[in-house]
Amino acid sequence: MTVGIAGLGLIGGSLAKAYKAAKEPATVLGFDRDVSITHIAQIAECDLILIALYTGAAAEYLEKIAPYVRPDAVVVDCCGTKRTICKAGFAIAEKYGFIYAGGHPMAGSQYSGFKYSRANLFWGSSMIIVPSRFDDIHLTAHIKSLLEPVGFGRITITTAEQHDQMIAFTSQMPHVVSNAFIKSP
């Protein structure tokens, strides 16, 4: 399997290391704006493309690479919110004829950047997937098989709206509250 990863910070770097360390290592092609760690991705060779960029940049990157993505390739973003990126991603994928799904790996660290990435960051954690269709079990199974080498403990299927509502209460609100405590005298 060949996996292309755009954005080689903590999330993208850890995904790259996980695929390289898997039982059956994948060929990993990476892209990052920092040329010191960039290996130019050969998009047309990729079975799976993971976009680990912020939402606005992810949509722009997807639009840029869309003409080069193979029809049988799967593109999954790793953005923290889903409504905006899924709306753009589903439209772009339909226009260019490839498979796109929203994704959110539920792991992280207090540190950022490639130097803090690690192959086991996602072991046992959840991966949330927002597919374009909920009645296609073969599509869901295919996406799960492509993500299996990373070591996720569970893959949850949901809508963009349900994802964003859940994350607002379980992730974003606790960050706001903890930040308020830290900054409080």
Side-chain angles (χ1 to χ4, degrees):
M1 172 172 35
T2 300
V3 179
I5 300 175
L8 296 172
L10 175 69
I11 300 299
S14 294
L15 288 165
K17 289 177 181 179
Y19 276 102
K20 291 301 282 184
K23 190 175 186 178
E24 294 181 30
T27 299
V28 177
L29 305 172
F31 171 81
D32 194 272
R33 67 179 177 191
D34 182 347
V35 294
S36 67
I37 58 172
T38 299
H39 297 89
I40 297 173
Q42 301 297 319
I43 297 300
E45 295 177 19
C46 297
D47 302 299
L48 173 64
I49 299 168
L50 297 163
I51 302 176
L53 303 169
Y54 293 111
T55 302
E60 289 176 24
Y61 180 77
L62 182 56
E63 183 71 50
K64 185 177 181 178
I65 67 164
Y68 310 103
V69 176
R70 290 190 341 229
D72 63 332
V74 175
V75 178
V76 178
D77 75 85
C78 298
C79 298
T81 58
K82 301 278 55 109
R83 285 183 190 136
T84 303
I85 187 63
C86 285
K87 182 178 179 183
F90 294 144
I92 293 167
E94 185 175 337
K95 177 180 176 183
Y96 288 96
F98 60 85
I99 301 164
Y100 165 82
H104 187 182
M106 300 304 294
S109 170
Q110 69 271 32
Y111 304 109
S112 62
F114 185 78
K115 73 178 183 176
Y116 295 108
S117 63
R118 58 187 196 274
N120 65 352
L121 180 68
F122 305 105
W123 288 1
S125 66
S126 293
M127 174 63 152
I128 300 174
I129 295 293
V130 178
S132 59
R133 295 182 52 191
F134 291 90
D135 61 348
D136 188 341
I137 60 172
H138 297 293
L139 171 63
T140 304
H142 182 55
I143 292 170
K144 286 180 178 181
S145 72
L146 290 170
L147 295 171
E148 185 179 354
V150 177
F152 291 109
R154 178 176 52 225
I155 296 184
T156 302
I157 308 298
T158 189
T159 66
E161 293 75 18
Q162 288 172 329
H163 169 274
D164 289 356
Q165 183 178 21
M166 177 182 60
I167 294 303
F169 289 107
T170 61
S171 181
Q172 294 169 347
M173 187 173 68
H175 283 291
V176 170
V177 171
S178 67
N179 195 10
F181 279 132
I182 289 170
K183 291 181 179 178
S184 171

